[in-house]
């Protein structure tokens, strides 16, 4: 019996309702910036919308999905009732309270500071209180994942932790550490300024603290997607997981390499020395290792599925794959977008090449392909996969799911590819409007129109997602089949302790973070010239 199903359902339900609202804001932003519309009468409305869109997509959606999926994994993989359900509900309501508080503040125009906060711009303290509540609610989930794993270990001494739970706890520990950077920024620097206790802020230090969170948060976003790659995709397409060990290696490498790299977002910031910028650039390249391991392992797992279906020869297995299966489409499209987005990321991480695309639409295209494309698509598939367990419905319509997957992929490619082109031409991001009568900008006008059309395709896809989930209860299942994760091709008889525990990897994560961030933080903390006057945004 799925004891925590209402808890998981609440997390997914709120996540996708908030997601749909943010998606509508994104489509509106693209429309009013395009030649299809006249200039927005008040540019602040655009930045208000960007702040709301980014806050929901970066904090609310992935946090609720990770929490809900994590609670489901804890019960389904460990095969025991979730410990601390009341605490889990408390964490959920903290996230909801924080979301509502931040949303109201943004809607009133008192916090149009973008989801990255951008000091010295300072908004209403209620916006920051809202974000803090979301983070604190997520920390309840982190604690519960550790508690449930500890309880399972006591009951199963010496046994291998199921891969799904191993990845789940990896994501929890990663989030606990990476969210600390933004928490320090808000509590130590931003809130005192927002509350009127000071009229200056150390903008350089604030941005370094946020960079602690800024890039590692991407790997918190992707952990549910990677768990799905390893533990659901092979089963869903009728295959086997090529290697359980490879999955564990990829998960722990994300712990080690995803943290000490965030300063590559600050290449243009003069407050940080070039030496540490280079170190972070070099460390950023290492994050490609667990991703490449994952691509290899999942492609090998997909090949196994094709050969089990009769595929022969060097490429015969590709034709034999179940292309009518929504999961097969989803993982293919996810990898295509991950490939394009990852290639763009290599440019972003380069100390030299970054100068070409810094703060241009290229950056927007890159992270939309990685997060909104490759990662969010797998969020949809996880929800579809769990929905019969959560609601008792019959299996969802494969035809509707395929339509939703196709429209999401097409919409995301149409949206983001023009951004890469105009980014190379120097088009800045986060602009409320462009003057298309200017001779240097007019030739690029068509790209903004194309991206706007892609945004509306994505909105239609998001509406279809919510429709599929909301109407699923109309088709009740007589018996809901027991839920299972992927089986490996070669079951491991013994998992090395280093790949069944977290102590060494967490220590390396903390140690590398302190080494790569310690000196820049100390240097900026004592640099008097780093303090600048705050810029109030809205009526505080």
């Amino acid at each position: 019996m799925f004891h925590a199903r209402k808890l998981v359902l609440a997390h997914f339900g709120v996540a996708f309702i908030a997601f749909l609202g943010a998606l509508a804001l994104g489509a509106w932003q693209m429309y009013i910036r395009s030649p299809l519309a006249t200039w927005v009468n008040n540019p602040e409305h655009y930045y208000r919308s960007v702040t709301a869109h980014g806050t929901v997509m970066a904090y609310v959606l992935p946090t609720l999905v990770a929490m809900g999926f994590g609670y489901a994994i804890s019960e389904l993989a460990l095969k025991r009732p979730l410990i601390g359900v009341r605490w889990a509900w408390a964490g959920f309501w903290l996230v909801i309270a924080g979301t509502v508080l931040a949303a109201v503040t943004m809607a009133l125009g008192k916090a149009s500071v973008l989801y990255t906060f951008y000091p010295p711009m300072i908004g209403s303290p209620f916006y920051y209180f809202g974000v803090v509540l979301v983070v604190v609610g997520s920390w309840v989930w982190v604690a519960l994942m550790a508690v449930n794993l500890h309880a399972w270990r006591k009951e199963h001494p010496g046994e291998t932790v199921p891969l799904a739970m191993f990845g789940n706890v990896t994501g929890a520990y990663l989030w606990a550490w990476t969210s600390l950077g933004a928490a320090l920024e808000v509590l130590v620097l931003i809130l005192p300024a927002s509350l009127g206790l000071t009229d200056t802020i150390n903008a350089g230090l604030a941005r370094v603290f946020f960079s602690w969170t800024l890039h590692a948060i991407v790997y918190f976003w992707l952990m549910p997607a990677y768990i799905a790659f390893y533990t659901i995709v092979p089963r869903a397409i009728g295959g086997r997981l090529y290697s359980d060990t490879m999955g564990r290696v990829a998960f722990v490498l994300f712990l080690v390499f995803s943290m000490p790299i965030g300063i590559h977002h600050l290449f243009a910031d003069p407050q940080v020395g070039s030496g540490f910028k280079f170190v972070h650039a070099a460390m950023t390249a290492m994050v490609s290792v667990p991703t490449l391991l994952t691509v290899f392992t999942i492609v090998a797992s997909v090949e196994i599925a094709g050969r089990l279906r009769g595929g022969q020869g060097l490429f015969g297995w590709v034709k034999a794959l179940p292309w009518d299966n929504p999961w097969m489409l989803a993982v293919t499209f996810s990898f295509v977008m991950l490939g394009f987005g990852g290639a763009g990321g290599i440019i972003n991480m380069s100390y030299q090449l970054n100068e070409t695309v810094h703060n241009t639409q290229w950056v927007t295209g890159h992270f939309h392909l990685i997060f909104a494309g490759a990662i969010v698509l797998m969020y949809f598939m996880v929800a579809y996969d769990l929905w019969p367990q959560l609601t008792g419905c019959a299996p969802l319509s494969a035809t509707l799911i395929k339509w939703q997957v196709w429209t999401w992929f097409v919409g995301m490619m149409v949206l983001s590819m023009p951004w890469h082109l105009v980014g190379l031409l120097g088009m800045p991001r986060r602009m409320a409007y462009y003057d298309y009568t200017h001779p240097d900008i007019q030739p690029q006008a068509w790209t903004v129109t194309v991206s706007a059309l892609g945004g509306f395709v994505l909105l239609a896809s998001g509406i279809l997602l919510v429709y599929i989930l909301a109407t699923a209860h109309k088709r009740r299942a007589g018996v809901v089949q027991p839920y299972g994760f992927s089986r490996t091709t070669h079951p491991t008889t013994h998992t090395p302790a280093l790949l069944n525990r977290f102590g060494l990897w967490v220590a390396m994560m903390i140690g590398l973070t302190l080494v790569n961030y310690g000196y820049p933080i100390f240097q900026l903390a004592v640099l008097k010239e780093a303090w600048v006057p705050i810029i109030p945004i809205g009526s505080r």
Side-chain angles (χ1 to χ4, degrees):
M1 181 178 178
F2 199 161
H3 295 81
R5 66 180 186 85
K6 290 184 179 179
L7 175 70
V8 177
L9 191 61
H11 282 76
F12 277 102
V14 174
F16 289 124
I17 291 172
F19 159 78
L20 187 60
L23 195 60
L25 291 177
W28 175 81
Q29 291 160 28
M30 291 307 305
Y31 173 71
I32 60 99
R33 292 196 334 167
S34 75
L36 301 174
T38 57
W39 285 2
V40 61
N41 62 345
N42 184 352
E44 195 277 331
H45 292 164
Y46 170 80
Y47 293 107
R48 191 182 306 186
S49 174
V50 172
T51 301
H53 175 82
T55 299
V56 170
M57 295 302 198
Y59 301 131
V60 179
L61 170 68
T63 300
L64 285 172
V65 168
M67 292 170 69
F69 191 29
Y71 292 136
I73 289 172
S74 183
E75 283 212 357
L76 296 172
L78 301 184
K79 301 186 184 325
R80 62 193 314 279
L82 179 71
I83 298 173
V85 172
R86 290 184 178 179
W87 280 102
W89 277 110
F92 169 76
W93 287 113
L94 280 174
V95 173
I96 298 305
T99 300
V100 171
L101 184 60
V104 171
T105 310
M106 289 183 290
L108 294 175
K110 297 183 178 181
S112 300
V113 294
L114 312 187
Y115 83 95
T116 47
F117 309 150
Y118 263 104
M121 295 194 302
I122 299 294
S124 165
F126 293 106
Y127 170 71
Y128 305 112
F129 286 140
V131 173
V132 168
L133 286 177
V134 171
V135 173
V136 171
S138 71
W139 286 347
V140 174
W141 164 72
V142 171
L144 288 178
M145 292 303 94
V147 167
N148 278 269
L149 179 59
H150 178 72
W152 182 87
R153 287 189 190 276
K154 289 183 65 176
E155 296 173 359
H156 302 81
E159 292 189 25
T160 299
V161 177
L163 180 60
M165 190 62 181
F166 189 81
N168 182 33
V169 176
T170 301
Y173 288 161
L174 174 61
W175 174 240
W177 185 244
T178 188
S179 60
L180 185 61
L184 288 170
E185 179 195 15
V186 170
L187 296 175
V188 176
L189 296 170
I190 292 181
L191 269 178
S194 183
L195 290 169
L197 302 180
T198 177
D199 57 1
T200 60
I201 187 171
N202 190 326
L205 180 60
R207 286 174 63 78
V208 169
F209 272 136
F210 193 79
S211 75
W212 176 316
T213 297
L214 181 57
H215 202 83
I217 196 175
V218 174
Y219 303 102
F220 166 63
W221 294 343
L222 67 73
M223 286 305 295
Y226 272 51
I227 292 170
F229 286 151
Y230 282 101
T231 67
I232 299 179
V233 169
R235 180 262 294 165
I237 63 173
R240 299 287 186 273
L241 176 62
Y242 175 73
S243 173
D244 176 280
T245 300
M246 198 77 81
R248 295 173 191 273
V249 170
F251 290 147
V252 297
L253 287 183
F254 277 126
L255 272 181
V256 175
F257 292 126
S258 63
M259 277 303 309
I261 64 176
I263 286 179
H264 79 258
H265 286 273
L266 306 181
F267 282 159
D269 283 36
Q271 296 94 340
V272 181
S274 59
F276 274 91
K277 288 177 181 177
F278 176 78
V279 169
H280 280 242
M283 293 294 295
T284 304
M286 297 303 298
V287 179
S288 63
V289 175
T291 296
L292 292 174
L293 290 177
T294 297
V295 171
F296 171 82
T297 304
I298 302 309
V299 171
S301 303
V302 169
E303 180 180 351
I304 291 170
R307 297 202 181 279
L308 287 174
R309 291 171 59 88
Q312 298 180 355
L314 188 60
F315 297 111
W317 59 273
V318 177
K319 185 178 180 180
L321 289 170
W323 292 108
D324 59 338
N325 186 321
W327 272 99
M328 191 65 244
L329 287 178
V331 71
T332 301
F333 293 156
S334 184
F335 273 26
V336 168
M337 290 184 284
L338 185 66
F340 280 113
I346 294 175
I347 306 301
N348 298 341
M349 78 175 194
S350 169
Y351 196 6
Q352 294 80 20
L353 294 178
N354 182 273
E355 289 295 325
T356 304
V357 298
H358 176 74
N359 216 28
T360 69
Q361 285 292 101
W362 171 282
V363 180
T364 314
H366 159 69
F367 70 71
H368 273 78
L369 278 176
I370 293 289
F371 174 59
I375 295 173
V376 170
L377 179 57
M378 298 311 294
Y379 289 179
F380 301 158
M381 299 308 297
V382 167
Y384 291 143
D385 200 60
L386 288 175
W387 221 246
Q389 301 291 323
L390 299 176
T391 65
C393 69
L396 305 181
S397 168
T399 301
L400 287 179
I401 293 175
K402 284 188 286 185
W403 270 102
Q404 197 269 318
V405 168
W406 265 107
T407 51
W408 190 258
F409 172 69
V410 171
M412 190 57 63
M413 296 297 286
V414 172
L415 174 83
S416 61
M417 284 304 173
W419 284 343
H420 286 82
L421 172 61
V422 295
L424 291 175
L425 298 176
M427 180 182 283
R429 60 175 174 154
R430 292 172 174 164
M431 300 292 289
Y433 44 69
Y434 302 111
D435 182 4
Y436 298 109
T437 64
H438 193 285
D440 291 336
I441 298 178
Q442 194 279 330
Q444 302 174 22
W446 69 269
T447 65
V448 188
T449 300
V450 170
S451 291
L453 294 176
F456 283 110
V457 173
L458 290 172
L459 179 59
S461 182
I463 293 172
L464 181 56
L465 162 79
V466 173
Y467 171 80
I468 293 170
L469 297 179
T471 59
H473 68 280
K474 295 180 179 180
R475 299 171 61 245
R476 306 296 297 180
V479 177
V480 177
Q481 296 298 319
Y483 192 87
F485 294 98
S486 302
R487 291 183 293 170
T488 58
T489 305
H490 305 289
T492 54
T493 56
H494 173 70
T495 300
L498 287 178
L499 297 179
N500 201 36
R501 296 278 180 177
F502 296 98
L504 172 65
W505 312 110
V506 171
M508 291 179 67
M509 174 182 70
I510 295 173
L512 279 172
T513 305
L514 296 179
V515 168
N516 281 18
Y517 275 98
Y519 183 77
I521 288 175
F522 173 78
Q523 182 184 43
L524 286 169
V526 299
L527 188 65
K528 294 181 180 180
E529 292 79 4
W531 291 84
V532 297
I534 66 170
I535 302 174
I537 300 296
S539 176
R540 296 192 289 121

